[in-house]
Amino acid sequence: MNVRLRAFDPAQAPAADGLEVLHLPLAASVVAGSLNPANSPYVLALLDRALAGCTEGSFAAMVTAPVHKGVINDAGVPFTGHTEYLARLTSTPRVVMMLAGGGLRVALATTHLALAEVAGAITRASLEQTLRILHLALRQRFGISEPRILVAGLNPHAGEGGHLGREEIDVIFPVLERLRQAGMRLEGPLPADTLFTPQVLARGDCVLAMYHDQGLPVLKYASFGKGVNVTLGLPIVRTSVDHGTALELAGSGRADPGSLIAAIEMALEMVRAAGVTPSV
């Protein structure tokens, strides 16, 4: 497929018959599949420029491909990921990670934590903040006027009435009750082993899982290669792919672009839901 490229110029109307590219020069030459710490500042410069375009209004949204965190750290730059980097640059105190695909939306109360640390990280305050961010984003970014959120319990069988843990009784249920009184449509805490069944999922617009591997294996089974990672709570629309860098596929022509295409399509949907007319 031949694609006509044109240099991006904010003063010109968008190209109707091609692809506009904003060129940022590399620091060093690139060999496909080979990591080079010399280009780590270039990767961050791309993120900085994309964020600047979104905040100043030149761009409607940001869609990110995967980055290799290790090579950025090898260059002496502390970096834990896109999400944390963008949150820091936009002074966003809390963001929520949500993946969408296969007809599912799954958000996370905690993200990349060791399992032994999860229970201690789920507090009434943190859970309420997460649910408020998720509820607002479903309304503003996805156009759902009254979002229905299914909330998983932390423990097997949602704690079995306290016999398998008290987090549901002491933390999760009180937060849900408080937010229900504020008008949110929340169901739970629900046992995770039966939450992801068609009849239960039909009752909600999104699932809030308590930890990474409680919710994401189900979503990735349903949508891997076409799933989308969405960062909620940022002042901009940001979506990303649901996979890593796959260095062994670089330059081979065998990489599957499905998740990137889905991320672009979802960014467009979110922009339109917010009442903005994208230029592409």
Side-chain angles (χ1 to χ4, degrees):
M1 178 179 176
N2 293 322
V3 178
R4 180 173 174 268
L5 301 180
R6 190 181 85 178
F8 172 75
D9 184 350
Q12 293 186 14
D17 59 346
L19 182 66
E20 294 184 68
V21 177
L22 175 57
H23 175 64
L24 292 180
L26 285 158
S29 60
V30 170
V31 177
S34 178
L35 298 172
N36 186 348
N39 277 320
S40 296
Y42 161 78
V43 174
L44 298 181
L46 289 175
L47 294 177
D48 294 345
R49 182 62 185 89
L51 179 59
C54 289
T55 54
E56 72 189 16
S58 298
F59 309 146
M62 181 191 301
V63 180
T64 57
V67 296
H68 195 285
K69 302 178 183 67
V71 74
I72 296 175
N73 283 283
D74 288 343
V77 180
F79 184 83
T80 55
H82 286 104
T83 302
E84 296 82 0
Y85 187 77
L86 295 172
R88 179 174 62 81
L89 290 184
T90 57
S91 300
T92 303
R94 188 175 186 86
V95 294
V96 174
M97 178 180 177
M98 184 181 84
L99 271 78
L104 301 173
R105 298 186 187 96
V106 178
L108 301 177
T110 61
T111 52
H112 300 119
L113 285 180
L115 195 56
E117 300 174 15
V118 169
I122 300 173
T123 66
R124 291 191 185 188
S126 69
L127 185 59
E128 179 170 339
Q129 287 176 334
T130 295
L131 280 164
R132 287 187 180 278
I133 291 169
L134 177 58
H135 182 267
L136 183 63
L138 290 170
R139 293 183 62 197
Q140 294 184 343
R141 302 295 196 192
F142 292 89
I144 303 171
S145 59
E146 294 186 35
R148 302 167 300 160
I149 302 173
L150 307 175
V151 181
L154 173 66
N155 297 296
H157 301 175
E160 195 81 51
H163 295 287
L164 295 177
R166 292 194 54 87
E167 286 82 5
E168 288 76 14
I169 296 171
D170 296 339
V171 179
I172 302 174
F173 184 79
V175 171
L176 299 189
E177 278 296 285
R178 172 183 170 86
L179 294 180
R180 286 186 191 112
Q181 292 174 11
M184 291 191 193
R185 300 178 65 183
L186 307 171
E187 185 174 346
L190 299 169
D193 62 345
T194 54
L195 192 165
F196 292 98
T197 55
Q199 61 268 33
V200 178
L201 290 173
R203 305 199 297 258
D205 300 298
C206 183
V207 170
L208 178 66
M210 290 297 109
Y211 57 94
H212 189 280
D213 282 12
Q214 183 185 58
L216 297 195
V218 179
L219 184 135
K220 292 193 175 186
Y221 175 79
S223 67
F224 191 71
K226 291 184 171 52
V228 180
N229 184 345
V230 186
T231 305
L232 307 178
L234 292 172
I236 65 168
V237 171
R238 182 258 171 163
T239 65
S240 189
V241 296
D242 68 347
H243 56 75
T245 51
L247 291 174
E248 70 278 6
L249 296 178
S252 70
R254 295 184 289 114
D256 183 352
S259 182
L260 182 59
I261 293 169
I264 293 170
E265 291 174 343
M266 180 161 288
L268 288 169
E269 292 173 10
M270 293 172 68
V271 168
R272 292 185 180 115
V276 177
T277 302
S279 58
V280 294

